[in-house]
Amino acid sequence: MFNKKKLGTVALALGTTLALTATSAWAKTTLTVASFPSFDQAVNSAIPLYKKLHPEVEIKLVSLAYGDHHNAMTTALATGGNLPDVMGIEYGYIGRFAASGGLEDLRAAPYSAEQYEKLFSKFTVPLATGGSGTLAAIPADIGPGALFYREDILEKAGVTKEDLTKDWDSYIAAGKKIKEATGSYLVSSATDIKDIVIRSGLKDGQGIYFDADNTITVESDRFKEAFRLAKAVREAGIDAQVGAWSSEWTEGLRRGTIASQMMGAWLGGHLNGWIAPESKGLWRSSHLPAGAYASWGGSFYGIPKKAKNKEAAWEFIKFMTLNKEMQIAAFRDLDAFPALIEAQNDDFVNQPIEYLGGQVARVEWKEAADRIPAMDVHKHDPVAEQIVNDALEAVLERDADIDTVLADAAKQIKRRARR
């Protein structure tokens, strides 16, 4: 996820260097890149720079709304029609696209991308790895999870950052104080708590809904605790019961009727850019409560097996993901936290963020990125996610028994996975 500012400084950062190294390896090639807002801004801004390296390559950027793009790519991979040369893929779809078999294995020749994998945050590459060990895409940006909160509201309520982050029960207790003292909700939705807790405590190689032996894990204590905490938040009346990206959600963040929000680090750019620019200096960022570390979003580039210009596509992907200057420029101008470790170590990370009251928040985000486990993904994760969300809704809306709904969820996932 990016904000909507222009990537205007990229040219200044790269123009001279690229002009000196320009080559033209392909004659009259039109490279089609399919993407979505605002991931597409990085591509759009890179086009003039890339043409200095490859002047005979024309880049045709096809951008659709987030859902429309991924639906179109799902259909294209299934039918083999209307496929781009380079496919932009968001975190939520990378697992199913990797499992589809429709994307090139970038570990295989001529790509041999395995040599680059250690250059990225360790948790990113497994997300794009298929069940047979194929690598379907290269990471461009990541979303280390962070807790954003309104410091002025906490002060009014006599609540500290430590109260929010010590553990989940402390987080909920702080929310009750905030609601009583200010009227603001602690969080937009109780579902947010569930989403973080089910990702907590995982080790490298473990999945959220399936373990290494393909066993469904939704009846584990991890899920029961996540549901318990979400229910406690709802019963305390401290969640606004609004979904992310709804008009009610943005208005709540803008007005401060929602005091905290857990999301990827990129949310800071959205707050500053368009959600609540007038709240400059009031928001802060912290690690997630209870020592949790989780990935929240991220974007990838892949090459369809039936793409027409695979060699040119691979060169473009390397340009967008392995070039430190391109990654830093996207970080600076689009708030896209780089997947490339070399870019994460740039001094830009140590600079204060004025919107967050001068906080050096990027250092915390980098620390979080270093500690996020390299989770395994399963082709049925999207199905399991929907079933678990439905189960939680039954608990929150109809006071259903947690053990019962999770047992039913496990049966549904098992049944759907057999199809």
Side-chain angles (χ1 to χ4, degrees):
M1 292 276 185
F2 298 154
N3 71 20
K4 297 183 178 180
K5 292 183 293 184
K6 296 292 185 182
L7 216 170
T9 59
V10 179
L12 294 176
L14 295 178
T16 303
T17 301
L18 297 183
L20 293 174
T21 57
T23 60
S24 59
W26 305 284
K28 305 298 181 184
T29 298
T30 298
L31 191 71
T32 303
V33 180
S35 191
F36 53 92
S38 49
F39 190 42
D40 56 356
Q41 291 185 32
V43 175
N44 204 34
S45 299
I47 289 174
L49 306 171
Y50 193 74
K51 282 182 68 63
K52 292 182 178 180
L53 275 175
H54 302 287
E56 295 181 3
V57 175
E58 293 294 332
I59 297 177
K60 178 183 178 183
L61 174 61
V62 179
S63 183
L64 297 174
Y66 173 83
D68 293 339
H69 164 77
H70 288 96
N71 288 337
M73 293 302 101
T74 300
T75 301
L77 288 171
T79 64
N82 298 316
L83 283 164
D85 297 306
V86 177
M87 183 181 293
I89 308 166
E90 205 271 341
Y91 171 87
Y93 285 84
I94 189 62
R96 74 180 74 173
F97 281 20
S100 73
L103 297 173
E104 285 282 276
D105 176 13
L106 300 179
R107 281 185 177 139
Y111 313 104
S112 304
E114 195 165 4
Q115 62 185 301
Y116 305 120
E117 293 177 15
K118 63 181 180 297
L119 303 179
F120 300 104
S121 287
K122 68 172 186 178
F123 69 89
T124 58
V125 172
L127 297 175
T129 301
S132 57
T134 58
L135 181 64
I138 300 293
D141 63 80
I142 60 177
L147 171 67
F148 290 87
Y149 61 93
R150 280 280 297 265
E151 187 175 61
D152 57 324
I153 294 175
L154 264 63
E155 288 180 352
K156 289 179 182 177
V159 169
T160 67
K161 182 186 77 171
E162 288 70 28
D163 293 330
L164 286 185
T165 57
K166 179 183 176 182
D167 55 46
W168 288 111
D169 288 329
S170 177
Y171 181 65
I172 294 171
K176 293 177 181 177
K177 290 183 179 179
I178 291 171
K179 187 67 165 55
E180 182 177 355
T182 70
S184 295
Y185 295 102
L186 172 66
V187 66
S188 59
S189 172
T191 303
D192 293 353
I193 312 294
K194 180 269 295 179
D195 286 339
I196 289 296
V197 176
I198 65 173
R199 288 166 171 77
S200 301
L202 295 174
K203 298 178 181 178
D204 291 351
Q206 290 184 312
I208 298 173
Y209 305 98
F210 300 85
D211 66 14
D213 297 321
N214 210 32
T215 301
I216 298 166
T217 60
V218 300
E219 293 183 86
S220 66
D221 289 343
R222 177 164 48 91
F223 279 82
K224 291 178 181 178
E225 177 68 356
F227 275 46
R228 180 189 75 79
L229 291 168
K231 184 177 181 181
V233 166
R234 177 60 54 84
E235 288 180 342
I238 55 177
D239 74 316
Q241 301 187 37
V242 300
W245 310 110
S246 65
S247 57
E248 295 85 358
W249 179 76
T250 55
E251 190 67 8
L253 295 177
R254 188 178 71 80
R255 291 179 175 273
T257 55
I258 298 173
S260 74
Q261 180 66 53
M262 292 175 284
M263 269 196 174
W266 40 259
L267 179 62
H270 286 273
L271 290 170
N272 183 21
W274 63 277
I275 295 176
E278 66 280 3
S279 299
K280 178 181 178 181
L282 299 179
W283 285 91
R284 297 290 185 275
S285 173
S286 174
H287 287 313
L288 295 169
Y293 295 96
S295 171
W296 212 312
S299 308
F300 299 77
Y301 291 112
I303 304 174
K305 285 183 175 178
K306 295 183 179 180
K308 296 178 180 177
N309 301 297
K310 296 179 184 178
E311 183 181 359
W314 178 231
E315 288 301 317
F316 183 76
I317 289 175
K318 287 194 292 183
F319 176 76
M320 297 298 291
T321 60
L322 294 170
N323 186 305
K324 176 186 172 183
E325 284 73 24
M326 283 299 299
Q327 290 262 298
I328 289 295
F331 195 10
R332 178 185 297 111
D333 294 340
L334 303 176
D335 297 298
F337 199 95
L340 188 69
I341 294 173
E342 182 184 10
Q344 296 174 13
N345 291 329
D346 189 88
D347 186 57
F348 177 69
V349 172
N350 300 313
Q351 297 179 13
I353 299 176
E354 192 175 357
Y355 182 79
L356 298 178
Q359 191 178 11
V360 188
R362 297 185 187 95
V363 172
E364 282 195 347
W365 299 340
K366 181 182 182 305
E367 291 173 356
D370 291 340
R371 300 182 66 169
I372 295 171
M375 292 187 303
D376 193 17
V377 295
H378 193 282
K379 64 181 180 180
H380 294 303
D381 277 351
V383 171
E385 180 181 19
Q386 183 59 56
I387 291 172
V388 167
N389 283 340
D390 291 344
L392 180 61
E393 183 177 355
V395 171
L396 298 179
E397 300 295 331
R398 301 188 293 277
D399 196 29
D401 178 71
I402 291 174
D403 289 349
T404 300
V405 298
L406 288 175
D408 290 342
K411 293 176 183 176
Q412 290 182 55
I413 295 169
K414 187 175 183 179
R415 187 163 57 247
R416 293 281 297 275
R418 286 174 176 168
R419 293 178 181 174

